[in-house]
Amino acid sequence: MSGRQQQLLELLYYSVHSILFHRSVYTREEFDLASKYGETQYILADPQVRRFIDTFLAQVDAWIETGDITHMVMIIIAKDDGRTLERWTFDITNHENSLSITGPGGASTTTSATNGPSNDIAVPNVLRQLTAAISVLPDLPSPAIFNLQAYVASEDRNLPGSLPEQWEESTDTYPFGEDVEIQQSMLRGVKTQGREINLLLTSLDD
């Protein structure tokens, strides 16, 4: 795995744990502290859940490498009745050899992949933006659980690679209720050599 792809995978990894922490899906006491990018990151301590996240992202990494994945979705779900409360969509696309930070509306600052600023700068900027976006959201209306889904580019062929144990294809997209008002927010993304990740938050509009 290239260093740039590793950084994109780290962005997904720390984003998932950060969302779980800042949206209080688990209590603060259930997280370990880790230092990364010169800042404190919160990592869920539960070994079973961490194993689930690690296994999931290992497969996502394989699909990023082959270019088959189109997006990864983290869904926050009401524990009592299964309602979808939030969808965090990480769009993953192939891109030409460039390095930039992409903002809402397609605005971007692009440089050469070899001489541009390091993603060591871009990734923590995205994580800080994610935390800032969460800070203005209302509290979740009920205790919640989460799920992760990965979407591949083609549905008319077998999934690339071998799926980890207990994985299955799913047609459940976790839609919001018909009478529910929602809002969407596009967060700044990261573009690196050959890959780009943009983040879309869809949440209840209370």
Side-chain angles (χ1 to χ4, degrees):
M1 182 195 309
S2 70
R4 295 183 185 278
Q5 182 170 326
Q6 175 65 31
Q7 288 171 326
L8 294 183
L9 193 66
E10 287 180 357
L11 171 62
L12 296 175
Y13 177 82
Y14 289 112
S15 293
V16 167
H17 285 278
S18 181
I19 292 167
L20 292 175
F21 175 79
H22 290 289
R23 296 310 281 142
S24 300
V25 177
Y26 297 88
T27 65
R28 299 179 71 90
E29 292 74 23
E30 294 178 275
F31 288 84
D32 293 331
L33 304 183
S35 179
K36 185 67 176 180
Y37 303 117
E39 298 181 6
T40 299
Q41 305 294 338
Y42 298 91
I43 308 300
L44 193 63
D46 186 298
Q48 184 174 357
V49 181
R50 284 177 69 161
R51 187 162 51 250
F52 164 70
I53 295 172
D54 290 346
T55 302
F56 180 90
L57 290 179
Q59 184 62 53
V60 167
D61 178 43
W63 287 334
I64 291 176
E65 180 69 26
T66 60
D68 288 292
I69 191 168
T70 58
H71 54 286
M72 178 187 115
V73 182
M74 180 177 185
I75 311 103
I76 307 298
I77 308 159
K79 190 174 184 178
D80 53 358
D81 59 10
R83 290 176 298 134
T84 296
L85 302 178
E86 291 176 0
R87 287 173 55 90
W88 296 80
T89 303
F90 299 83
D91 286 318
I92 304 170
T93 57
N94 292 324
H95 215 280
E96 298 297 327
N97 291 350
S98 61
L99 173 63
S100 71
I101 302 174
T102 304
S108 64
T109 302
T110 305
T111 63
S112 70
T114 55
N115 299 321
S118 169
N119 267 10
D120 285 335
I121 299 173
V123 171
N125 284 346
V126 175
L127 294 174
R128 282 193 291 270
Q129 184 189 209
L130 184 150
T131 302
I134 292 175
S135 69
V136 300
L137 292 174
D139 293 339
L140 293 175
S142 63
I145 56 176
F146 80 100
N147 198 7
L148 296 171
Q149 290 186 327
Y151 292 75
V152 293
S154 177
E155 297 180 356
D156 59 1
R157 60 190 173 95
N158 293 330
L159 290 174
S162 57
L163 288 175
E165 291 183 7
Q166 300 180 346
W167 275 49
E168 61 182 16
E169 294 185 62
S170 174
T171 58
D172 191 349
T173 58
Y174 295 93
F176 291 88
E178 293 182 1
D179 299 327
V180 173
E181 295 290 332
I182 61 173
Q183 60 182 349
Q184 292 186 321
S185 303
M186 179 69 75
L187 279 66
R188 178 179 300 177
V190 170
K191 185 189 299 179
T192 186
Q193 188 172 11
R195 301 289 184 269
E196 180 178 359
I197 295 181
N198 288 301
L199 176 56
L200 175 67
L201 164 62
T202 307
S203 59
L204 298 176
D205 186 4
D206 292 334

